[in-house]
Amino acid sequence: MKHTENHVRSLQQKLDREVLLHRTIDRIRQSLELEEILTATAAEIRSFLGTDRVMVYRFNPDSSGEVIAESIDEGRLCSLKGLNFPPDDIPLEARERFLQQRVRSIVKVNSQQIGLSPFGCNGREDPGEREQVEISYRPLDPCHMTYLKAMGVYCSLVVPIIANGELWGLIVSHHAEERDISEEDLQLVQLVTDQVSIAIAQATLLAKTRERQAREATINRIATLLHGSPEIELQGALEATVQSLDGCGGRVYIAPAEGDDDVRGRRLPEIFAWGDRPTFPDATETPILEEHPQWRQWRERRRSPSHNSSQVYERADAIADLYKDPSLAAIAPAFKNTQIRGLLVIPLYYRQKFLGYLSIFRHEVDTETLWAGRFNSNVRQLMPRQSFEAWRERKKNQAREWTDEELQMAKALGDQFSMGVGQYLLYKKVTALNANLEYQVQQRTAQLQNTLKFTRILKQVSDRIRSTLDLDEILQTIVGRVRNLLNTDRVVIYQFRGDGTGEVTVEDVRGNWKSVLGTRCPGDCFPQAYGNLYLRGRVRAIDDIATEDLTPCHREFLESLQVKANLIVPIRMGSDLWGLTIAHECQGPRVWSKDEIELVQQLGDQAAIAISQAELYRKSQQAAATAEAKARELTVALQDLQHAQGQLVQSEKMSSLGQLVAGVAHEINNPVNFIYGNLAHATEYAHDLLELLDLYQKHLPEPDVEIVDLMEDIDFEFLVEDLPRMLASMKVGADRIRQIVLSLRNFSRLDQSEMKPVNIHDGIDSTLMILHHRIKAKGDRPAIEIVKNYGDLPSVECYAGQLNQVFMNILGNAIDALEEAWIAHSHPDQPPGPTPSIRITTERHKNHTIAIEIRDNGPGIPEHLKNRIFDPFFTTKDIGKGTGMGLSISHQIVVEKHGGQFVCESEPGNGTTFRIVIPIAALRPSPGPTHPVGSRLSERSS
């Protein structure tokens, strides 16, 4: 009975633990707020264990810790919530055991024992999987025992909280009296701790997400200030940036660009500042922080190449305490009169160009920490504290570290400021240009008024030059117009040749001054440097050759041309010096004005364009003529090639097929002759045998029984009656085979590759014999009626095989057309069509020619197709049913090979007639380079 009660009590305890576990997990999962989760966890664990205090201890980055959640029986133990504990309270080796082995510890002070239970060492790390808990006890360290006694604790349970692979904190249970912690209790606390770890990870993720959203919102707000309007709000964006990074001030330094000079020629930067800023108290003139030599040296050391290019960039710097950075020792006095201690510097680059700096300043702060017990934070604690009464430690003028989140936001804001400053500089340039526009317009208007007259003249001359593409007319127009505009004595164009020499090719002369057309300049008078200067656009104006610094040879040459003053303007075409426009004043010296020089220079540019267009037009005309001639040649060659290619393919195909037909006809002819030759003898022998049997029957009317039985078995009377008929039928079949073989040999005519007199009717009949299988009735279609109206024709000298191919093409196409028409009329909705027929008529003309006319009563050929039926490769049949070469080759055979005529007459609905007219005695034209086609069967084409 007692055993049953113990078993029931054990089951009830297990049930209570499961209920408590699920209730605790549900409370944890009801909220994403970490403080609520930890407070609920502490309360549930204390309720389950029945201890005096359960607290959640969180480690700080410096290894110290803080009690952030607590459930306590205030009558038993004092509250520790909000108190911090120094790193030495939990030594490094203990923290490592918590993290690596996930050790849980149970301390019993009176027994002076500590129980350790590693978790997860058995290979099972699933938080939801129960494990066999093993607790091993060992003596308690005296310092640890003294530490707990000073806290009023005689029983302690510590379970580590591992979150995201790091030791996040501890769940600690304290009791003022010694008590037992069972393995089941430890297992349940561990399960709850695992759920807390998951909740902490989720809460941390939620917090990071909220921080990221807030950071993005801040970046978007500042980006709107920088990019939302044409007037870049750098000042407002700087203020918002300083506030978002919890700074006390900041500045945007924009490096001076070309044109940002003061009255003394110094380039001035542009600075936007907000909040606290550094100053140099001892300087007579306040220097600029970013231009201080020490600052520049410091920033130079921060330069490094980009990871994806060879471009060198400065790196951003986050300095928590600028007074501890030796590289800033020279500029640190500028911050002495401020509370600035932290500095964040972000270099600004836009399109790989350095623009300046974004600097954020941060005040020093006074810190206040609430510790559990008084101790010296600067000395390692060797002995445990005797009191845990709250002690408030205050530190003044402390530096604040820049967090990773702040640095990420600063980098993103730096990118926005880089684009904003780039746009600001562009906007500034545009504004400056707009401000100066009115002055420029006024100044330009005055210049335009001064040059208006020359512009109008220039336009007239340019229009005149461009009105023609004739080079000689262009050059003559140029010299004539320039001489009239300048009112000078002579204007010439000196054109350079390909070998470097040149001569005067065009001139316009006033009065009786001598002509210099064709004059060449002496090469030794003009150095090569002159040509290089003219090539670079040099314009030379000589007001008086007597006073000008000229070589004696040059002056003598000008005097020989009666020149007193001249103006030389180059005519350049791309990178080449085409020539010179030269104005000569022969009456006396002359001062060439700036407007005259510019006018002639502009005319020279227009002349270069006109000359280039004229030469291009001339070359294009030549190229077009050449291309047109070449295109005509290529067109003819292509047509010849296509025709030859088609004929070659047709010839090779028909040659092979003709040889096959001739060979088959020859092979069939021999056995057929053998059969045909023996049929007469077989008929005679059979007749003799039958007469002999008749005599036997007369003289022996009563034959033997065995003979009678055999006569009945072989049906003697039928055999005697049928044998002559069978032999006669065999003779008819043999005759038919001989006719077919004769037709094939007559059609192929392999032995007639030259012109020979032949019977045209034999060729037509042979073709009809070959096409007999298509002419006879098929299915629902009746046999095609063949009507022959043969005239009295003499033997015609021709290529018989080639003409047979023509007959085959025409008759084959006629049969195709009749079959298609019959199929169309066989539809139930269509009236019945006429009986298909082909009429062949031949006649002799008085002009020593014959005519062959082949007419069908098919549907006819549409008018728009009739003109193309003789084109190579043209066909109206479906793909695979015709090559489009049949009628083209037939036309060539009749017209080119036989010097005849080949005409097609057709009307839709009235059939088609092909008329062939050839001479009786041919002129024997050469068959040409192609193979004779008389031995080939044709391939039909529309």
Side-chain angles (χ1 to χ4, degrees):
M1 185 68 179
K2 183 177 181 180
H3 177 268
T4 303
E5 292 178 355
N6 292 335
H7 182 66
V8 171
R9 187 180 303 108
S10 175
L11 291 177
Q12 185 63 39
Q13 290 176 352
K14 289 182 178 180
L15 179 61
D16 292 343
R17 289 190 184 97
E18 292 294 333
V19 171
L20 176 62
L21 175 62
H22 289 292
R23 187 173 69 247
T24 303
I25 293 174
D26 290 340
R27 291 191 63 181
I28 290 174
R29 293 179 177 177
Q30 287 175 358
S31 174
L32 288 176
E33 299 297 333
L34 187 58
E35 184 177 356
E36 295 180 6
I37 292 173
L38 297 180
T39 300
T41 301
E44 292 293 344
I45 293 178
R46 193 176 78 83
S47 172
F48 166 70
L49 294 178
T51 55
D52 298 331
R53 177 172 58 212
V54 173
M55 61 184 183
V56 179
Y57 181 89
R58 182 181 65 192
F59 286 102
N60 296 322
D62 61 353
S63 297
S64 65
E66 179 185 2
V67 177
I68 61 174
E70 181 184 62
S71 177
I72 187 171
D73 184 351
E74 296 182 357
R76 303 271 293 175
L77 292 176
C78 62
S79 174
L80 298 178
K81 185 178 180 180
L83 298 184
N84 288 270
F85 292 78
D88 295 336
D89 283 17
I90 302 178
L92 176 62
E93 56 271 16
R95 294 195 299 270
E96 291 179 349
R97 283 198 302 272
F98 282 138
L99 176 61
Q100 298 174 1
Q101 302 177 12
R102 299 183 67 181
V103 169
R104 290 80 54 90
S105 67
I106 301 172
V107 177
K108 298 179 180 180
V109 175
N110 290 336
S111 301
Q112 298 185 8
Q113 287 185 328
I114 179 171
L116 301 178
S117 174
F119 177 71
C121 296
N122 56 1
R124 296 177 302 174
E125 297 184 359
D126 184 359
E129 183 180 0
R130 304 293 178 89
E131 70 166 0
Q132 185 67 32
V133 178
E134 297 181 1
I135 304 175
S136 60
Y137 286 92
R138 68 183 184 186
L140 180 64
D141 183 84
C143 289
H144 193 174
M145 182 173 62
T146 303
Y147 184 90
L148 292 177
K149 284 183 177 181
M151 196 179 290
V153 175
Y154 284 84
C155 180
S156 170
L157 169 63
V158 179
V159 178
I161 302 174
I162 309 298
N164 297 323
E166 298 180 354
L167 181 62
W168 185 89
L170 306 171
I171 290 182
V172 183
S173 173
H174 287 163
H175 199 62
E177 299 176 356
E178 185 172 307
R179 55 160 294 177
D180 291 332
I181 302 295
S182 67
E183 295 177 351
E184 290 79 5
D185 294 340
L186 179 59
Q187 187 181 51
L188 183 63
V189 173
Q190 180 63 59
L191 290 174
V192 174
T193 303
D194 291 338
Q195 294 298 321
V196 170
S197 298
I198 296 174
I200 289 173
Q202 294 175 344
T204 302
L205 180 61
L206 176 62
K208 289 183 178 180
T209 301
R210 289 173 176 173
E211 291 176 359
R212 184 171 63 252
Q213 290 176 345
R215 182 167 65 249
E216 291 176 353
T218 301
I219 293 172
N220 291 335
R221 178 167 54 88
I222 295 174
T224 302
L225 292 174
L226 290 171
H227 314 299
S229 64
E231 297 182 359
I232 313 299
E233 294 289 340
L234 283 176
Q235 188 67 37
L238 176 61
E239 180 180 352
T241 300
V242 172
Q243 294 174 351
S244 65
L245 293 174
D246 197 17
C248 63
R251 57 195 277 140
V252 175
Y253 168 82
I254 302 177
E258 185 176 354
D260 297 338
D261 302 338
D262 62 3
V263 294
R264 290 182 288 179
R266 297 178 304 176
R267 292 194 174 180
L268 299 178
E270 193 167 358
I271 297 175
F272 295 85
W274 184 84
D276 288 354
R277 67 197 71 179
T279 59
F280 290 90
D282 298 334
T284 56
E285 182 178 353
T286 302
I288 298 174
L289 175 67
E290 290 81 0
E291 296 183 354
H292 194 282
Q294 191 74 16
W295 174 283
R296 292 184 173 179
Q297 292 177 8
W298 171 53
R299 298 312 306 165
E300 187 67 27
R301 289 193 295 271
R302 306 300 293 168
R303 293 169 64 88
S304 62
S306 172
H307 67 281
N308 57 0
S309 68
S310 59
Q311 184 75 20
V312 178
Y313 295 94
E314 293 185 28
R315 299 195 302 271
D317 273 296
I319 300 173
D321 192 343
L322 60 90
Y323 295 106
K324 294 182 179 180
D325 193 327
S327 59
L328 299 179
I331 62 174
F335 298 88
K336 286 295 185 180
N337 294 331
T338 69
Q339 295 182 346
I340 298 173
R341 186 172 290 267
L343 174 63
L344 176 61
V345 179
I346 303 172
L348 304 179
Y349 286 88
Y350 184 65
R351 295 180 179 176
Q352 300 182 350
K353 180 181 179 181
F354 174 72
L355 300 180
Y357 298 102
L358 169 64
S359 302
I360 306 297
F361 309 124
R362 178 175 279 178
H363 276 167
E364 58 192 13
V365 295
D366 297 338
T367 62
E368 184 177 280
T369 307
L370 195 62
W371 295 99
R374 190 179 186 88
F375 69 98
N376 187 351
S377 59
N378 296 322
V379 179
R380 177 179 174 83
Q381 306 300 307
L382 300 178
M383 296 297 294
R385 296 190 300 284
Q386 298 299 316
S387 172
F388 290 89
E389 183 179 358
W391 170 56
R392 196 178 305 275
E393 181 186 30
R394 293 185 176 88
K395 294 183 178 180
K396 294 184 175 296
N397 304 330
Q398 298 298 304
R400 293 170 54 195
E401 294 291 339
W402 299 92
T403 64
D404 292 339
E405 291 77 10
E406 290 172 336
L407 295 178
Q408 291 177 6
M409 178 182 288
K411 183 179 182 304
L413 292 176
D415 294 338
Q416 296 295 329
F417 267 89
S418 295
M419 291 186 289
V421 170
Q423 295 174 358
Y424 169 77
L425 294 176
L426 181 60
Y427 176 76
K428 182 180 175 183
K429 289 181 179 179
V430 172
T431 303
L433 290 174
N434 290 335
N436 196 33
L437 182 60
E438 183 177 357
Y439 172 75
Q440 292 179 357
V441 169
Q442 293 175 353
Q443 188 179 24
R444 187 60 180 165
T445 301
Q447 294 176 356
L448 290 175
Q449 289 175 348
N450 292 333
T451 59
L452 180 58
K453 176 181 177 181
F454 288 108
T455 302
R456 291 174 179 173
I457 297 173
L458 177 63
K459 184 179 183 303
Q460 294 174 359
V461 176
S462 300
D463 292 341
R464 176 61 178 169
I465 291 174
R466 296 184 179 183
S467 63
T468 179
L469 290 174
D470 183 78
L471 183 58
D472 295 334
E473 184 178 351
I474 290 172
L475 298 179
Q476 195 62 51
T477 300
I478 291 172
V479 294
R481 292 290 181 172
V482 172
R483 195 194 63 76
N484 290 329
L485 289 173
L486 298 182
N487 193 22
T488 189
D489 298 321
R490 183 194 300 123
V491 174
V492 302
I493 288 182
Y494 188 86
Q495 183 178 354
F496 291 103
R497 304 301 182 189
D499 57 358
T501 63
E503 64 176 321
V504 177
T505 57
V506 183
E507 72 170 354
D508 189 84
V509 184
R510 179 176 60 183
N512 297 323
W513 299 105
K514 64 181 292 187
S515 173
V516 296
L517 194 64
T519 301
R520 294 175 175 268
C521 295
D524 53 351
C525 289
F526 302 97
Q528 182 64 31
Y530 280 21
N532 295 333
L533 292 175
Y534 288 133
L535 183 59
R536 290 197 293 268
R538 172 199 182 186
V539 176
R540 186 172 189 184
I542 301 176
D543 298 335
D544 188 352
I545 66 169
T547 60
E548 188 75 15
D549 185 15
L550 301 174
T551 63
C553 180
H554 189 182
R555 182 176 289 105
E556 182 180 350
F557 174 70
L558 292 178
E559 290 175 349
S560 68
L561 301 180
Q562 302 174 326
V563 175
K564 303 297 183 182
N566 70 351
L567 175 63
I568 305 172
V569 176
I571 301 176
R572 296 177 297 168
M573 297 178 60
S575 59
D576 296 327
L577 182 62
W578 185 88
L580 303 172
T581 301
I582 307 174
H584 289 164
E585 187 69 25
C586 301
Q587 294 181 357
R590 173 174 176 170
V591 177
W592 305 97
S593 68
K594 181 180 178 181
D595 292 337
E596 291 173 337
I597 295 174
E598 290 181 355
L599 176 62
V600 178
Q601 191 172 10
Q602 292 180 19
L603 283 174
D605 295 338
Q606 295 297 325
I609 297 173
I611 292 170
S612 176
Q613 292 176 344
E615 291 189 349
L616 181 62
Y617 174 74
R618 178 177 56 81
K619 292 179 181 178
S620 64
Q621 289 291 93
Q622 294 176 351
T626 304
E628 186 176 355
K630 190 66 175 178
R632 287 195 298 269
E633 293 177 3
L634 291 176
T635 301
V636 173
L638 179 60
Q639 292 175 350
D640 294 342
L641 178 61
Q642 289 178 338
H643 193 275
Q645 183 180 15
Q647 187 172 3
L648 180 61
V649 172
Q650 187 78 356
S651 299
E652 292 299 328
K653 184 189 299 182
M654 293 300 104
S655 175
S656 299
L657 187 57
Q659 293 174 5
L660 176 63
V661 169
V664 169
H666 177 73
E667 293 298 326
I668 293 175
N669 189 50
N670 290 334
V672 167
N673 287 336
F674 177 78
I675 294 171
Y676 188 81
N678 289 312
L679 275 176
H681 300 291
T683 301
E684 183 179 353
Y685 297 160
H687 183 266
D688 293 341
L689 289 174
L690 290 176
E691 287 183 350
L692 177 62
L693 288 174
D694 187 46
L695 290 174
Y696 270 109
Q697 287 179 338
K698 287 181 180 181
H699 296 288
L700 296 173
E702 298 294 333
D704 190 70
V705 175
E706 184 177 356
I707 294 174
V708 173
D709 292 340
L710 179 60
M711 290 175 65
E712 290 178 355
D713 290 341
I714 65 177
D715 197 356
F716 178 72
E717 293 180 359
F718 173 77
L719 187 149
V720 170
E721 181 181 356
D722 189 57
L723 180 59
R725 289 200 299 266
M726 182 178 64
L727 292 173
S729 177
M730 292 173 64
K731 185 176 183 300
V732 172
D735 285 336
R736 176 64 176 164
I737 294 175
R738 291 185 68 194
Q739 291 176 4
I740 292 174
V741 170
L742 182 60
S743 296
L744 289 174
R745 295 189 63 184
N746 182 47
F747 182 83
S748 62
R749 294 190 182 270
L750 286 174
D751 56 343
Q752 296 184 18
S753 60
E754 297 180 355
M755 278 195 170
K756 291 183 179 181
V758 297
N759 188 335
I760 294 297
H761 295 157
D762 290 344
I764 296 174
D765 293 339
S766 299
T767 305
L768 290 173
M769 175 67 71
I770 294 173
L771 294 174
H772 178 72
H773 69 287
R774 298 193 61 198
I775 295 172
K776 65 183 181 179
K778 288 185 178 180
D780 296 336
R781 193 209 74 188
I784 298 174
E785 181 182 1
I786 304 297
V787 180
K788 301 179 182 178
N789 295 326
Y790 288 170
D792 185 12
L793 300 183
S795 296
V796 179
E797 194 173 359
C798 63
Y799 294 106
Q802 295 185 15
L803 281 183
N804 289 343
Q805 183 179 358
V806 174
F807 300 150
M808 177 67 75
N809 286 332
I810 298 174
L811 291 171
N813 286 337
I815 295 172
D816 289 340
L818 292 172
E819 288 180 343
E820 293 177 3
W822 183 262
I823 293 173
H825 284 289
S826 64
H827 195 274
D829 297 338
Q830 297 290 332
T835 301
S837 66
I838 298 175
R839 181 178 296 274
I840 305 173
T841 303
T842 62
E843 59 182 353
R844 178 176 181 176
H845 293 169
K846 294 181 179 180
N847 57 352
H848 304 289
T849 60
I850 66 163
I852 304 127
E853 193 173 87
I854 302 176
R855 174 181 175 82
D856 64 68
N857 61 345
I861 302 174
E863 188 67 28
H864 68 282
L865 298 179
K866 192 163 62 175
N867 295 331
R868 300 185 59 192
I869 60 174
F870 297 128
D871 293 347
F873 306 106
F874 175 76
T875 179
T876 59
K877 296 180 180 179
D878 296 336
I879 296 175
K881 294 185 178 180
T883 63
M885 291 297 297
L887 291 180
S888 174
I889 293 175
S890 298
H891 187 273
Q892 182 186 22
I893 292 172
V894 173
V895 177
E896 296 181 14
K897 297 293 183 70
H898 292 83
Q901 300 175 8
F902 191 24
V903 181
C904 174
E905 299 175 356
S906 179
E907 292 183 6
N910 293 327
T912 302
T913 301
F914 283 94
R915 184 176 180 83
I916 301 171
V917 179
I918 58 175
I920 296 173
L923 299 177
R924 302 181 181 274
S926 173
T930 60
H931 298 287
V933 294
S935 61
R936 301 158 189 141
L937 294 173
S938 83
E939 181 173 335
R940 296 184 302 279
S941 172
S942 293

